[in-house]
Structure formats: structure tokens, C-alpha cells
Amino acid sequence: MIQETSEQIQKRFLELNAEIELQEIERRIRDLVERFKVPEAEAERSVVSYFLREHNLKREDYYGAPDGAAPIQISGINQAEQWVNLRAKVTQLWDSTSPAISQVGLIGDETGTIKFVKWTKSNLPALVEGKSYSFENMTTDEWQGRFSVKMNRTTRISELDEEIVTPDMEAQLIEIDNINESGKWINLRAKVTQLWDNEHESIDQVGIIGDETGTIKFVKWARSELPPLAEGKSYSFENLVTDEFEERFSVKFNKSSSITELDEEIVTPDMEAQLIEIDNINESGKWVNLRAKVTQLWDSEHESIDQVGVVGDETGTIKFVKWAKSELPPLEEGKSYSFENLVTDEYEGRFSVKFNRSSSIEGLDEDIEVGYATAEFAGAMVHIQDGSGLIRRCPICNRALMKGTCMEHGNVEGTHDLRIKAVMDNGHEVQEALFNREITENVSGIALDEAKEMAVDALDHSVVLDEMKKRLLGRYYTMTGSVLDRYLLVESVQLLEAIPASAIDAILQEVT
Amino acid sequence: MASFAREVAYRIFAQELRDTAVALERDLEDVYAPQYVLSPTGAKINRVFVVGTLTEKEDIGTDAEYWRARISDPTGTFFVYAGQYQPDATRGLADASVPEFLAVVGKIGVYTTEDERVMTSIRPETISVVDAETRNRWILETARQTLDRIKELENGSSPHLEMITEHYSLDLEQYRQMVASALESLQ
């Protein structure tokens, strides 16, 4: 088979006036198939490409001309910096966040919706929500894997007589317990059981609503311009959209949502707080009591937050947030307390507890011993975060310097250190892992002195990080360490090497 | 509140990725909601981790570097493009030669052809040259995770069973064969 293929390749190249030795073709194909486990057709293609380049020939010469087509529907937009034409309906207009932008929002066609940005400089006519247009000469853009279109001076817009149909979204009245899909338009009859402080100006209100069957988080965007909700009141809500994150659902209000207050009161399920251990917190929106010690107080990053940090009990530690408006006494680092009526929350798969107005805090005489959970993780290193490699630390407080500056002590002469902030992934879970200098030196084979020399030679610190990425990314490691918030503080790490033949056989037996 | 949880990198063979033809609808309210695709064995994927052999690479950029690479595992092949906006991936590809083993972490890109077929590609975040041991471990791991997904579909415990039945023929035998042939290539 390989021999026949090789002969065909040789013959085709001869037709193009290129002479190649048959054995050379065969050797290359065999290497790809046998050592690199590449399918035969792919090996053939790879070898043909190689010889095309060797003989300065074009792919078209060998295979015939290629054909290309430009996407003209929204779902076909998959590349930035392309010029596109679309026929689409303006489904949403948002508030512009910058004077450079005259309009921003979503346009949609039969295949989907996409964000658009219309520059003020473009001098284009104003778009009206709900109307359909033909857009010509827009450019595509991409940010963090999501596409948008930009309307500029060369863009042409003309209104269409027909209406472009966008994906269906008729809302239905359902019960909260039945919400099990994201992206659905729904109506609810529910009571606002909690209002939280929002952490972002784009959010008008956020909290929990509940009906007879359960409770769910809601988010009301500032731009949806809806009347304010009051805690404890019951409403009929129309045209909310469900969302899902890590299998937890929420509902979101938008411009087409409506809110009507109800005369009756909706009864929500009981939510009496129970004393639990931190390690057992595995659900958000639960009311809990804790007996725990404040192990860390962090700097609050927002005036709505009074205190933020970590509390711990014998079973583990958890982040807490104490809102300014909950008006509770200050917590001291190192002191143990009894906490009542906290609400659990979840973000990025990690839990926290939040204090609210009905929470209470009582100091304990005893000293709670905090247990740090240790964990083990095996997986591939899929990312190394910024701030890894050769870094400098503040000689006073040991913080990592940012652009040569300590956040606390300003411009200081930093001392060099090595660390890696890695993201490990086993196909089911992601784990961030922090390697200190010793672990970093072991795993990368680059000692601190060597790293400093590399940086001096290249006149650039980033060569160390680049080299570490080259040596570590894509490899499998197993590691153990203690858990602190979202990090595994790695105490030992090992490269996973050859797999045993028995492991292959075991799965093969299951397959067949 | 916007969420920025990192998406898990799924292990998937090239053949299954090629057959993937269902792009899940994105949250209309949140333009930064991640794009997911649903694979024939029921993986809801935004990011992948794949290891394969570099079989072709070409700098097709006009001004700046823009690499097109073909990467092959025992079951098939996929394309990867990397330019100035993927510095780690671009550096990795520039360093690699044909044939070498590459580990690729990337997001799934989706586009629909004129005849409304959904096609996928990988937009790489990082690319690194790895050794045969890493490749073998990836094949073993991908075989394990693919087989687990097949079994979930067969015993009805997959959360995406309904959509899979709607969009794909539930002929799972071809994917069992795929897993078997990938494992046999290691023997």
C-alpha cells in the first residue's frame, strides 16, 4: 500500500518535471505512519507538501485549483479583520460606553446574533431597534474568542422592506424548579427574597427570587431600564432569559422584560440556617451558621465591601465577603467567632459566604484550629499565567513587583525569585497551581542563577518564562499540596512518564 | 456579574472533532458568553487539549507571521491557524518542525458553510513540542474519556442525550472502533 502510494507520488512529480527517489518517498511515509501514528492518507499529504516545497511547486499544480467562498451569515463569521456584508435585524441597542461609539448592540439573522459597534466617525444614520437592514462593508473583530462587526466610514446601510427573522424566543410561564436549560425565554411569578450589593456598574440589581418550587439567582442589567425590585415583594416577571454557569441556573432581565407587582404573596420554601462545617459547603444560595476563625483579612477593593478575607474551621477554609451596608461589627484576624445567617455563594466553582443584614457575629473564647485541606491533582499543564518565570519581589513585604513597583512600598530594588502559576487540566476539572522557587527549579530544570544569566544575556526577563512554557506546557504532571482559595500550593510534583501496556489492554477490552 | 471561569479542555480525537456539527446557541443577553459545540459522543466543548503529529506547516501571512498547520492523530487530522494574536501558539509553531509531536490547547471555532453545515476549527492558545510518552498518554486518556462518554450515551445518563439523538445518528459503534484503532496504534 505504502509502496503503491509512493509510486503514484513519484509519477505525479515526474509529470511536474521533478525527479524524486522512490525510496526517499517511501521512507518518509513509513516514518509518519509507523513512528508518528499518522493515518496513511495524511502521511501521503504531508510528504507531498514536503516535496512541493523542496521543488518550489504550488499545491494547485499538484492537486488542481482550490475554491473559496466568503461567509455572509452571522454564524459564518469566524475570523477577525474580514470584510463582510450582512442582512440583519437590530435586536438590541445598548448604551454606548464611549463618545467614539455612536451605537452599540446586537444584530441578528436566521443563523444567530452578533455584537455590532458603530463608530461616531462613520457618520452613519441611526439604527432603530426592531428594524431590518442591509449592511455592506463592515469589518469583523474578535475579542476573547467572540466576534463582533464594526461599522466604519466605508460601511453602507439601507433599510429593508422585509423583516429578517431571528431565532425564536417566545416566553412561557414556568416554575423555578423546572428551569433546566439556558437561553430560554420564560415568565415567572416569584418573590424577591434577597437583594445583594451589585459588584459592577452594568448591573442594576442582583439577588435571589423564589416561588413555591425553589429559588434562583437573578441579574437585572442597568441598561434594561426596569423599575427597582423591593426585597420581600412578589411580582409577575415576563420575558426573562435563563442562563447557566457550572450547572447552576440564573435568570436575566433585559430590555424586553416586564415587571408587574402582585397583590398576593408568593410563598417560598423555608430557608432556616443550619450550623455546618466549611468543608460541607457545596451549594450556593444556602443559609448557614459557622464556627470559624478569621485567618486572613484582605484589602477591600470596593467601597461597598466592608471586609473581605478567609475564615477557617477544622475542616477547611472559605472566602467571606462582608458588605458595608450590612452594618456588622469589624472582624479581627486570628480571632474565632460564631457566625449566624450567612449565605453561601459560588463563583468559578469556588464557594464563599456572604454576610447580610440578618447575619450575626459573636466572638468566641476558644481558639478554633484551622485545618488546611490537602489535595492531589494529575493532569496536563494547559497554561502558564502572567507573573510566572523570573520575577522580582519587594524586599520589605515580599510582594511580587509589578513593572518594578511594589503596590505597598512603591519603587524598590527588587530581589529575584522564580515561580510558576500554572493551570492544570485533566479533562474534567481545572486546577490552578502555584510552584514556589524550589518546585519551579525542579520541574523546569532552570535554577535561579541560570535564569538570571538568561535574562541578562537576552536583556529581557521574559525569556525565562518563554523557556519554561516550552519545557512544561502540554506535559502531564501529578502534584500534591495544600489548598488556598483557588490555588493548590504545590509541595511535590512529578512528570508522568511512560504508560504501562496493561493500561492500553484494559481499555481495549472494554471497547470490544 | 460576568463570570470568567476557565473552561475545561476536552480530550477528543480528530475524527470525532471532524464529525462535530452542532454549535449550541449562545446566551443572547451576554455577547461574551462562551461558544460551545456538542460532539457526537456528548461532550459540550469550548476548549480542547489535543496532541498529534505536525504533518504540514506554512507561514501564509503577508505582513506578519501567520501559520497554518495540519496536525494529525491516529484517527484523522485538523487545522490550526496562529498569528500575532496568539503569541504563545505562534512561537510554538515557529519552533516546531515536520514531523514532530505537538500539544495544542485551544478554543473551538465554529462556522457554517453555505449549505448550512457546521464546521469546527481550533484557535490555539498554546502550542508546544512534546515527546512520544506525552502523545501516548494523551491517546490513552482521550480513549478513556471518549469511551466514558459513549457509555453515558448508551446507558442514558448523558446530560445531552436528547440533543445528541436529535442531531446525530446514534451509531456509536464507529466511535468505539475509533477508540480501538487509536489504542491499537500504541501496541
Short mmCIF file of all heavy atoms in Angstrom, two decimals, chain A residues 304-330:
data_model
loop_
_atom_site.label_atom_id
_atom_site.label_comp_id
_atom_site.label_asym_id
_atom_site.label_seq_id
_atom_site.Cartn_x
_atom_site.Cartn_y
_atom_site.Cartn_z
N SER A 304 -18.29 49.22 48.56
CA SER A 304 -19.49 48.53 49.05
C SER A 304 -19.12 47.35 49.93
O SER A 304 -19.96 46.80 50.62
CB SER A 304 -20.35 48.07 47.87
OG SER A 304 -19.69 47.02 47.19
N ILE A 305 -17.83 46.96 49.90
CA ILE A 305 -17.38 45.84 50.74
C ILE A 305 -16.65 46.39 51.96
O ILE A 305 -15.70 47.15 51.84
CB ILE A 305 -16.45 44.90 49.93
CG1 ILE A 305 -17.24 44.25 48.79
CG2 ILE A 305 -15.84 43.85 50.83
CD1 ILE A 305 -16.39 43.46 47.84
N ASP A 306 -17.15 45.99 53.12
CA ASP A 306 -16.57 46.44 54.38
C ASP A 306 -15.32 45.61 54.69
O ASP A 306 -14.24 46.14 54.94
CB ASP A 306 -17.65 46.28 55.45
CG ASP A 306 -17.13 46.54 56.83
OD1 ASP A 306 -16.23 47.40 56.95
OD2 ASP A 306 -17.62 45.90 57.78
N GLN A 307 -15.48 44.29 54.70
CA GLN A 307 -14.33 43.42 54.93
C GLN A 307 -14.42 42.20 54.03
O GLN A 307 -15.51 41.70 53.72
CB GLN A 307 -14.31 42.96 56.40
CG GLN A 307 -13.88 44.07 57.37
CD GLN A 307 -13.69 43.53 58.77
OE1 GLN A 307 -14.63 42.99 59.36
NE2 GLN A 307 -12.49 43.66 59.32
N VAL A 308 -13.25 41.71 53.61
CA VAL A 308 -13.20 40.51 52.79
C VAL A 308 -11.96 39.73 53.21
O VAL A 308 -10.97 40.31 53.63
CB VAL A 308 -13.20 40.88 51.28
CG1 VAL A 308 -12.07 41.84 50.95
CG2 VAL A 308 -13.11 39.65 50.39
N GLY A 309 -12.04 38.41 53.15
CA GLY A 309 -10.90 37.61 53.59
C GLY A 309 -11.25 36.14 53.63
O GLY A 309 -12.08 35.67 52.84
N VAL A 310 -10.60 35.42 54.55
CA VAL A 310 -10.78 33.98 54.63
C VAL A 310 -11.11 33.61 56.07
O VAL A 310 -10.50 34.12 57.00
CB VAL A 310 -9.48 33.24 54.17
CG1 VAL A 310 -9.64 31.74 54.33
CG2 VAL A 310 -9.14 33.60 52.73
N VAL A 311 -12.10 32.75 56.25
CA VAL A 311 -12.35 32.15 57.57
C VAL A 311 -12.13 30.65 57.46
O VAL A 311 -12.28 30.07 56.39
CB VAL A 311 -13.79 32.44 58.09
CG1 VAL A 311 -13.99 33.91 58.35
CG2 VAL A 311 -14.85 31.90 57.15
N GLY A 312 -11.76 30.04 58.58
CA GLY A 312 -11.49 28.61 58.55
C GLY A 312 -11.98 27.91 59.79
O GLY A 312 -12.05 28.50 60.88
N ASP A 313 -12.37 26.63 59.61
CA ASP A 313 -12.62 25.79 60.78
C ASP A 313 -11.77 24.53 60.67
O ASP A 313 -10.86 24.48 59.83
CB ASP A 313 -14.13 25.50 60.95
CG ASP A 313 -14.69 24.65 59.84
OD1 ASP A 313 -13.92 24.09 59.04
OD2 ASP A 313 -15.94 24.54 59.77
N GLU A 314 -12.06 23.50 61.47
CA GLU A 314 -11.23 22.30 61.47
C GLU A 314 -11.20 21.62 60.10
O GLU A 314 -10.28 20.89 59.77
CB GLU A 314 -11.73 21.30 62.52
CG GLU A 314 -11.53 21.73 63.97
CD GLU A 314 -12.62 22.68 64.48
OE1 GLU A 314 -13.48 23.10 63.68
OE2 GLU A 314 -12.59 23.00 65.69
N THR A 315 -12.26 21.87 59.29
CA THR A 315 -12.39 21.11 58.05
C THR A 315 -11.86 21.83 56.82
O THR A 315 -11.73 21.24 55.75
CB THR A 315 -13.87 20.76 57.79
OG1 THR A 315 -14.57 21.97 57.49
CG2 THR A 315 -14.51 20.09 58.98
N GLY A 316 -11.58 23.13 56.94
CA GLY A 316 -11.08 23.83 55.75
C GLY A 316 -11.27 25.33 55.86
O GLY A 316 -11.61 25.84 56.93
N THR A 317 -11.03 26.02 54.75
CA THR A 317 -11.15 27.48 54.75
C THR A 317 -12.08 27.92 53.62
O THR A 317 -12.30 27.18 52.68
CB THR A 317 -9.77 28.15 54.52
OG1 THR A 317 -9.23 27.68 53.30
CG2 THR A 317 -8.82 27.87 55.65
N ILE A 318 -12.62 29.14 53.76
CA ILE A 318 -13.53 29.66 52.74
C ILE A 318 -13.44 31.18 52.73
O ILE A 318 -13.19 31.81 53.76
CB ILE A 318 -14.99 29.19 53.01
CG1 ILE A 318 -15.87 29.42 51.78
CG2 ILE A 318 -15.59 29.88 54.24
CD1 ILE A 318 -17.19 28.68 51.85
N LYS A 319 -13.62 31.76 51.56
CA LYS A 319 -13.60 33.21 51.43
C LYS A 319 -14.90 33.79 52.00
O LYS A 319 -15.95 33.16 51.89
CB LYS A 319 -13.49 33.56 49.94
CG LYS A 319 -13.52 35.05 49.64
CD LYS A 319 -13.47 35.31 48.14
CE LYS A 319 -13.85 36.76 47.83
NZ LYS A 319 -13.85 37.04 46.39
N PHE A 320 -14.81 34.97 52.62
CA PHE A 320 -16.03 35.64 53.05
C PHE A 320 -16.06 37.07 52.52
O PHE A 320 -15.01 37.65 52.24
CB PHE A 320 -16.16 35.64 54.59
CG PHE A 320 -15.25 36.65 55.26
CD1 PHE A 320 -15.66 37.97 55.43
CD2 PHE A 320 -14.00 36.28 55.71
CE1 PHE A 320 -14.82 38.90 56.03
CE2 PHE A 320 -13.15 37.20 56.31
CZ PHE A 320 -13.56 38.52 56.47
N VAL A 321 -17.27 37.58 52.37
CA VAL A 321 -17.47 38.98 51.97
C VAL A 321 -18.46 39.60 52.93
O VAL A 321 -19.53 39.05 53.19
CB VAL A 321 -18.02 39.08 50.53
CG1 VAL A 321 -18.32 40.53 50.17
CG2 VAL A 321 -17.05 38.48 49.53
N LYS A 322 -18.09 40.73 53.51
CA LYS A 322 -18.97 41.44 54.45
C LYS A 322 -19.30 42.79 53.83
O LYS A 322 -18.42 43.62 53.64
CB LYS A 322 -18.25 41.59 55.79
CG LYS A 322 -19.08 42.10 56.94
CD LYS A 322 -18.59 41.50 58.25
CE LYS A 322 -17.89 42.37 59.26
NZ LYS A 322 -17.54 43.72 59.08
N TRP A 323 -20.56 42.98 53.48
CA TRP A 323 -20.97 44.21 52.82
C TRP A 323 -21.00 45.38 53.80
O TRP A 323 -21.34 45.21 54.97
CB TRP A 323 -22.37 44.08 52.23
CG TRP A 323 -22.48 42.95 51.27
CD1 TRP A 323 -23.17 41.80 51.45
CD2 TRP A 323 -21.88 42.84 49.98
NE1 TRP A 323 -23.04 40.98 50.36
CE2 TRP A 323 -22.25 41.60 49.44
CE3 TRP A 323 -21.05 43.69 49.24
CZ2 TRP A 323 -21.82 41.17 48.19
CZ3 TRP A 323 -20.63 43.27 47.99
CH2 TRP A 323 -21.02 42.02 47.47
N ALA A 324 -20.68 46.55 53.30
CA ALA A 324 -20.70 47.75 54.13
C ALA A 324 -22.12 48.00 54.65
O ALA A 324 -22.31 48.36 55.81
CB ALA A 324 -20.21 48.95 53.31
N LYS A 325 -23.11 47.75 53.81
CA LYS A 325 -24.46 48.12 54.23
C LYS A 325 -25.07 47.11 55.22
O LYS A 325 -26.15 47.33 55.74
CB LYS A 325 -25.37 48.33 53.01
CG LYS A 325 -25.88 47.08 52.39
CD LYS A 325 -27.08 47.39 51.51
CE LYS A 325 -27.72 46.09 51.07
NZ LYS A 325 -28.49 46.17 49.88
N SER A 326 -24.37 45.99 55.46
CA SER A 326 -24.92 45.06 56.45
C SER A 326 -24.64 45.52 57.88
O SER A 326 -25.18 44.98 58.84
CB SER A 326 -24.41 43.63 56.20
OG SER A 326 -23.01 43.60 56.21
N GLU A 327 -23.80 46.56 58.02
CA GLU A 327 -23.58 47.23 59.31
C GLU A 327 -23.27 46.28 60.46
O GLU A 327 -23.94 46.28 61.49
CB GLU A 327 -24.79 48.11 59.64
CG GLU A 327 -24.89 49.29 58.70
CD GLU A 327 -26.20 50.05 58.86
OE1 GLU A 327 -26.95 49.76 59.80
OE2 GLU A 327 -26.45 50.94 58.02
N LEU A 328 -22.26 45.44 60.26
CA LEU A 328 -21.87 44.48 61.28
C LEU A 328 -20.55 44.91 61.92
O LEU A 328 -19.79 45.66 61.33
CB LEU A 328 -21.72 43.09 60.64
CG LEU A 328 -23.04 42.46 60.17
CD1 LEU A 328 -22.77 41.33 59.20
CD2 LEU A 328 -23.84 41.96 61.38
N PRO A 329 -20.29 44.43 63.14
CA PRO A 329 -19.03 44.82 63.80
C PRO A 329 -17.82 44.29 63.02
O PRO A 329 -17.93 43.27 62.34
CB PRO A 329 -19.13 44.16 65.19
CG PRO A 329 -20.14 43.08 65.03
CD PRO A 329 -21.10 43.56 63.99
N PRO A 330 -16.67 44.98 63.14
CA PRO A 330 -15.49 44.54 62.40
C PRO A 330 -14.93 43.21 62.92
O PRO A 330 -14.99 42.92 64.11
CB PRO A 330 -14.49 45.67 62.60
CG PRO A 330 -14.93 46.35 63.86
CD PRO A 330 -16.41 46.20 63.93
#
